[in-house]
Amino acid sequence: MSIETRKRVLECYIEPILMYGCETWIISKQTRGRLEATEMWFLRRMMRKPWTGKKPNDTVLSETKTKRALINKIRKRQATSFGHIMRRERQEHLVTTGMFMGMRDRGRLRKKTTDGLASWLGVGSTVEMIKMTREHDVLRGMIANAMRHGTG
């Protein structure tokens, strides 16, 4: 099989299984590293290059004529799902934003998906991002811009 066919098989059959439920993931540094390592492992397996061959990741990426795109695909899914939830304004809206009555737990605040999305989209705060979800075209433009620049 050619490299292009192998890449299409990877995108059609393997990536959807990996990204199942990624809309709710919180991408920390550790998770990001594991996802990037998994992506490189897929490419090495596709090229039938052993990881013990000590080839740098840049070489594998240039041989396959690809860029790292898994993190951006996950972020895009998260952003579109978040916009959909925010426009519906139902119970999911309250759970996602965390705006419900009750006491806050002790200790450091937990990292939220909305914080990671706000930094990826280049928005100052989560509140600004929630306001921008009301305008579908603006959110779509922000997602396209973030995908183009490839920020993680």
Side-chain angles (χ1 to χ4, degrees):
M1 279 198 303
S2 69
I3 293 174
E4 292 301 318
T5 308
R6 290 180 191 176
K7 283 196 299 192
R8 288 179 62 192
V9 168
L10 179 69
E11 289 174 5
C12 292
Y13 294 111
I14 308 301
E15 282 183 4
I17 295 169
L18 172 69
M19 296 192 324
Y20 180 76
C22 69
E23 292 85 1
T24 60
W25 293 354
I26 296 172
I27 300 181
S28 62
K29 284 183 181 179
Q30 184 180 15
T31 308
R32 182 188 175 103
R34 286 181 178 174
L35 287 169
E36 287 175 352
T38 302
E39 185 177 17
M40 290 308 301
W41 184 76
F42 287 156
L43 292 175
R44 286 177 196 277
R45 292 286 300 172
M46 184 180 73
M47 296 294 295
R48 295 190 177 121
K49 304 281 183 191
W51 64 271
T52 55
K54 307 273 188 199
K55 281 206 170 192
N57 292 340
D58 297 334
T59 308
V60 175
L61 289 170
S62 65
E63 284 178 7
T64 57
K65 299 176 184 140
T66 58
K67 296 179 188 174
R68 292 185 183 210
L70 186 62
I71 300 288
N72 277 341
K73 288 178 185 178
I74 291 171
R75 288 291 193 197
K76 180 179 179 185
R77 276 188 174 192
Q78 287 179 340
T80 53
S81 174
F82 180 75
H84 178 71
I85 289 171
M86 290 298 114
R87 282 189 299 277
R88 286 189 67 192
E89 293 187 3
R90 295 206 176 129
Q91 192 169 9
E92 300 93 357
H93 180 278
L94 292 174
V95 172
T96 304
T97 56
M99 295 181 182
F100 47 89
M101 301 299 289
M103 296 289 292
R104 187 175 77 78
D105 290 338
R106 292 177 57 185
R108 181 189 294 195
L109 289 175
R110 288 192 177 180
K111 202 170 193 181
K112 295 183 272 184
T113 308
T114 53
D115 298 335
L117 275 177
S119 67
W120 182 69
L121 292 172
V123 181
S125 69
T126 305
V127 176
E128 279 183 48
M129 185 177 64
I130 291 171
K131 288 178 183 175
M132 289 183 180
T133 57
R134 306 264 186 262
E135 301 165 18
H136 190 73
D137 294 333
V138 173
L139 182 65
R140 193 179 314 154
M142 289 172 57
I143 292 170
N145 187 33
M147 289 290 292
R148 195 175 19 245
H149 293 300
T151 58

